[in-house]
Amino acid sequence: MNHVVVVGAGLAGVRSVEALRAHGFGGRITLIGEERHRPYDRPPLSKAVLAGEADSTFVESDLDAMDVGFRPGVSAKGLRPGVVETTEGELPYDGLVIATGATPIRLRGEGPQHVLRTIDDALALRELFAGGPAVAVVGAGWIGAEVATAARKAGCEVTVVEAGDAPLAVALGAETGAYTIPWYERAGVRLLLSTRVATVDPDGITLADGTPLKADVVVTGVGVRPAVGWLDGSGIRLDNGVVTDEHLRTSLPGVVAVGDCAAWWSRRFRTRLRVEHWDTALGAPDVAAASLLGEDAVYDPVPYFWSEQFGHMVQYAGHHQAAARRVLRGDPAADPKWAICWLTADDRLAAILTVDRPRDLVQGRRLVEGGQRLDVERLMDPAITLRDC
Ligand code: FAD
């Protein structure tokens, strides 16, 4: 293999380049990215950058020292075996890493609509929030909750409009998400649940029942779609992202996929997973690079992510869809530090969500990995160390 092309210069792309070199690949590497920036981290965009504590989040990686041909501002437009078609001509490859991430979904309507995906989005929003405008955030998912936190901190009047019955309903289920409703109240954020938005208008939004809601700034946080449109017609298998096996190999020989755009086969959970979180973009490239270079590597993590919202550190590990039931560890009404454990039918931990209990998260992740049976009575007692359950 002489030339590897990596498409997408986000975290998964830059980690792929590093992993290729770490696995001893001495050939040519070209990294192309649609954005005009060096690779940077996205989690701080909705946290430190919006809060004015950071202006840039570049990933520390010396592309020159790794002898990588980095081409910012270049997009992939199409793929045929052995050739990536780009906005700057054709790029032949022997090996290809697809790391094009995901793109925010936008709502209908003629009004100005902000999303938060790039550093440019974050800096623009920060400037707007500084004026203390009325902000409507559409969606109480991870991004919506973090944007609402930052906007409120900046002194904005904030309304969050959520179609589900609770915040985080899509990610965690409404029953679990409902435990975060008091966080909105305490922060002085107005939360409209079970409320759909029809359009974004020049002076705010219109709800599905026709009610207008005035806002100076509208931020849409209703999810993302894998950025794989450029692969249409390439013959590569797509189904909620780029379909890969457990080695992160796609249906085309010599092509692997990583990060937000990849739907990989999870040996552990016996299902296909596409996880739009930082830890996946960080960890998957090592396996993808090894697979591309002919090594036998399997990507089989316990998925992990975190979110910082309304002064709480929320962390999650596992795959709760594999669970039969859910138990509370602690009482969210009485103690701000609590956790939820999702258990299989035979009392093994499938997933854990922790709020301000980082030790539970670390131990819980190990319990999901280990797969041992647990004493559920002990598990429900937050005074008992999780690893002793
Ligand atoms: P991306 O970071 O999306 O990178 C893909 C790159 O490919 C982009 O630069 C894109 O422009 C480029 N690209 C797309 N199409 C093309 C094309 N056709 N040609 C060339 N280039 C292309 N995760 C957590 O676990 N915890 C958090 O707290 C957290 N906070 C977040 C906050 C924000 C605001 C955002 C946006 C995400 C957050 N995430 C968080 C998610 C995490 O950042 C993502 O999972 C991670 O960035 C995915 O990395 P990636 O490299 O797969 O994709």
Side-chain angles (χ1 to χ4, degrees):
M1 189 173 297
N2 293 318
H3 183 203
V4 175
V5 172
V6 179
V7 181
L11 183 66
V14 72
R15 290 294 175 238
S16 297
V17 163
E18 291 172 355
L20 284 162
R21 290 295 186 230
H23 283 265
F25 178 64
R28 209 175 126 213
I29 299 180
T30 304
L31 172 65
I32 69 168
E34 198 165 65
E35 293 183 68
R36 298 199 169 271
H37 303 289
R38 265 167 43 213
Y40 60 89
D41 259 332
R42 295 183 202 277
L45 300 182
S46 49
K47 306 170 185 73
V49 175
L50 277 193
E53 293 154 9
D55 295 330
S56 75
T57 67
F58 291 124
V59 175
E60 273 185 36
S61 193
D62 193 338
L63 296 173
D64 290 338
M66 287 188 290
D67 194 18
V68 173
F70 175 43
R71 298 175 62 187
V74 176
S75 299
K77 291 301 203 193
L79 176 69
R80 53 179 208 273
V83 180
V84 179
E85 293 151 18
T86 82
T87 43
E88 298 202 352
E90 298 197 335
L91 200 52
Y93 69 83
D94 304 309
L96 175 66
V97 181
I98 298 173
T100 42
T103 318
I105 297 168
R106 287 171 185 269
L107 298 171
R108 281 182 301 162
E110 301 302 314
Q113 181 177 168
H114 296 266
V115 293
L116 178 50
R117 184 75 195 176
T118 67
I119 182 78
D120 303 317
D121 297 335
L123 293 173
L125 277 177
R126 183 169 88 186
E127 207 171 310
L128 287 169
F129 289 171
V135 177
V137 179
V138 186
W142 303 114
I143 298 289
E146 293 193 356
V147 169
T149 302
R152 191 69 196 116
K153 251 194 189 162
C156 306
E157 184 194 305
V158 183
T159 303
V160 175
V161 186
E162 165 59 47
D165 296 338
L168 306 176
V170 175
L172 301 174
E175 276 188 25
T176 300
Y179 292 115
T180 71
I181 292 174
W183 300 354
Y184 288 74
E185 289 162 7
R186 262 177 241 136
V189 171
R190 185 173 166 223
L191 176 63
L192 303 180
L193 295 171
S194 312
T195 306
R196 290 193 168 274
V197 172
T199 52
V200 179
D201 310 318
D203 58 351
I205 53 182
T206 299
L207 305 180
D209 67 2
T211 310
L213 197 152
K214 288 220 177 310
D216 305 310
V217 178
V218 177
V219 187
T220 305
V222 296
V224 293
R225 288 200 185 94
V228 294
W230 64 282
L231 295 166
D232 285 346
S234 66
I236 204 164
R237 198 173 150 217
L238 301 174
D239 183 6
N240 180 29
V242 183
V243 172
T244 80
D245 62 13
E246 60 194 13
H247 310 284
L248 302 175
R249 292 183 303 221
T250 72
S251 61
L252 286 187
V255 183
V256 292
V258 283
D260 279 12
C261 69
W264 82 93
W265 179 255
S266 165
R267 202 184 256 191
R268 180 186 306 275
F269 296 108
R270 290 190 292 279
T271 188
R272 198 165 292 292
L273 296 180
R274 192 175 65 77
V275 175
E276 297 157 356
H277 293 297
W278 185 88
D279 194 58
T280 306
L282 184 78
D286 187 59
V287 170
S291 300
L292 198 59
L293 298 174
E295 296 170 33
D296 184 22
V298 171
Y299 187 57
D300 196 20
V302 170
Y304 162 75
F305 67 83
W306 79 99
S307 169
E308 295 163 39
Q309 46 181 281
F310 304 110
H312 297 284
M313 172 57 96
V314 182
Q315 293 169 288
Y316 174 100
H319 177 61
H320 65 272
Q321 288 81 353
R325 64 177 172 135
R326 203 187 64 115
V327 295
L328 263 175
R329 183 168 155 80
D331 176 4
D335 184 350
K337 299 179 180 187
W338 47 273
I340 286 178
C341 299
W342 282 270
L343 298 164
T344 60
D346 57 355
D347 293 339
R348 297 170 208 277
L349 194 62
I352 184 165
L353 176 86
T354 64
V355 175
D356 298 323
R357 294 182 68 94
R359 188 181 301 172
D360 271 6
L361 188 280
V362 173
Q363 294 181 4
R365 193 177 189 182
R366 284 199 199 116
L367 290 176
V368 178
E369 267 162 13
Q372 58 268 51
R373 292 183 79 152
L374 301 169
D375 179 330
V376 180
E377 287 303 312
R378 289 173 67 79
L379 189 78
M380 290 166 72
D381 182 349
I384 298 177
T385 308
L386 204 52
R387 64 162 177 253
D388 296 332
C389 295

